Amino acid sequence: MAVGLALLVLLAADAVAPVKDPVLDVCMDAKHHKSKPGPEGKLYDQCSPWKDNACCTANTSSEAHKDQSYLYNFNWNHCGVMPPKCKRHFIQDTCLYECSPNLGPWIEQADSSWRRERILHVPLCKEDCEEWWEDCKDAVTCKENWHKGWNWATGTNRCPWGSMCRPFSKVFPRPKDLCEKIWSYSYKYSPERRGSGLCIQMWFDPARGNPNVAVAKHYAWNKRSSPAQVEKAAPERDRAVRAVPWSVLGLLPLVLLLPG
């Protein structure tokens, strides 16, 4: 009987062996992303929090800090010089997009010549959106959606003919408008705060670990769960319920007949 029970335990353990979630610890299929995340010991400045596990290379992280880099030939200073306190948010935004391996739950297919995947509706923490807006409200731009509609005749983005340069506070009246509209709803303004485990942070102290790992796991779990399940149910509870699958339980009568 002891041998039979041991066999049952081994079968159960094998049946519930962890399987890698396809939306966790991944890089999107886009212009400058690596095929899979890994250590990058020399990530530059504001991209450095991701150095232990990054989807960007050191060279990409360096280019992300330039006013006009080879990454996308995009110029932040299309309506005059962007204030440094504002620009740092756009650099951090670029670092999150290029380097983070924790955006998998929000990766979607993209119909674009320069990328096959994009992010959509990433829940950005309330403070990140509000600080971004506060530091940029006096900066100037001519467009609400920076993904499209530019004049590229010179090889870099210029304001389309007839557009006016206006303060961010006029183009984006609220933090929600800035976060959601500027990159075609790549981000969603979240009412959740940093540290809640329910929103993605653009800013974090790497010495305290990457908080976005847990956030990605939470949303990956919810994405797999049925609507009937409680939204914030922990994955551990599900694993406990399914610890011994029906296929294994079906073997129980046979095991009980085995000699001990």
Side-chain angles (χ1 to χ4, degrees):
M1 181 64 70
V3 173
L5 290 175
L7 176 60
L8 178 61
V9 171
L10 288 173
L11 288 170
D14 183 65
V16 298
V19 177
K20 177 177 170 59
D21 193 305
V23 301
L24 294 178
D25 196 32
V26 296
C27 302
M28 73 183 87
D29 187 354
K31 189 173 183 180
H32 301 292
H33 288 71
K34 293 163 32 177
S35 59
K36 60 182 180 179
E40 290 286 339
K42 296 182 179 179
L43 291 189
Y44 185 71
D45 199 9
Q46 287 180 253
C47 293
S48 60
W50 288 275
K51 64 183 178 63
D52 292 337
N53 194 33
C55 286
C56 63
T57 64
N59 193 43
T60 296
S61 73
S62 177
E63 288 290 325
H65 290 73
K66 296 180 180 179
D67 285 343
Q68 184 171 337
S69 74
Y70 81 87
L71 295 180
Y72 305 101
N73 291 324
F74 195 92
N75 192 343
W76 307 122
N77 303 322
H78 51 268
C79 273
V81 178
M82 180 181 281
K85 67 177 182 178
C86 175
K87 190 179 298 179
R88 72 185 183 94
H89 291 275
F90 281 97
I91 293 172
Q92 197 72 52
D93 158 49
T94 303
C95 289
L96 176 69
Y97 173 80
E98 300 288 350
C99 302
S100 177
N102 311 122
L103 301 176
W106 305 278
I107 291 177
E108 304 280 347
Q109 294 298 307
D111 182 17
S112 171
S113 61
W114 54 278
R115 61 179 179 179
R116 297 178 63 184
E117 293 179 333
R118 62 162 297 186
I119 49 174
L120 187 66
H121 299 149
V122 175
L124 206 58
C125 293
K126 177 182 176 72
E127 297 96 327
D128 288 87
C129 285
E130 291 180 348
E131 290 175 14
W132 191 357
W133 186 88
E134 185 64 30
D135 287 344
C136 290
K137 65 182 180 182
D138 298 323
V140 183
T141 186
C142 56
K143 282 181 54 54
E144 181 183 70
N145 187 335
W146 287 16
H147 260 155
K148 57 186 179 180
W150 296 98
N151 177 354
W152 290 96
T154 61
T156 188
N157 60 303
R158 289 193 161 194
C159 293
W161 185 85
S163 63
M164 293 178 58
C165 291
R166 298 183 294 152
F168 268 51
S169 58
K170 299 295 184 183
V171 179
F172 308 105
R174 304 168 298 167
K176 176 182 173 72
D177 298 315
L178 173 60
C179 272
E180 296 187 352
K181 295 179 179 180
I182 198 164
W183 298 126
S184 305
Y185 295 92
S186 292
Y187 298 126
K188 179 178 70 175
Y189 175 84
S190 173
E192 304 293 345
R193 294 187 172 275
R194 294 174 189 161
S196 65
L198 299 174
C199 61
I200 291 291
Q201 296 181 206
M202 271 206 289
W203 312 91
F204 63 88
D205 179 1
R208 302 175 64 180
N210 183 346
N212 295 333
V213 174
V215 178
K217 288 180 179 178
H218 171 82
Y219 283 94
W221 165 243
N222 285 344
K223 200 169 184 177
R224 293 195 308 269
S225 301
S226 68
Q229 289 178 292
V230 179
E231 181 182 1
K232 296 181 181 180
E236 288 75 15
R237 183 167 60 189
D238 179 66
R239 284 199 296 269
V241 170
R242 296 183 292 108
V244 181
W246 289 110
S247 59
V248 175
L249 290 176
L251 297 173
L252 185 57
L254 176 62
V255 170
L256 292 177
L257 293 174
L258 294 174

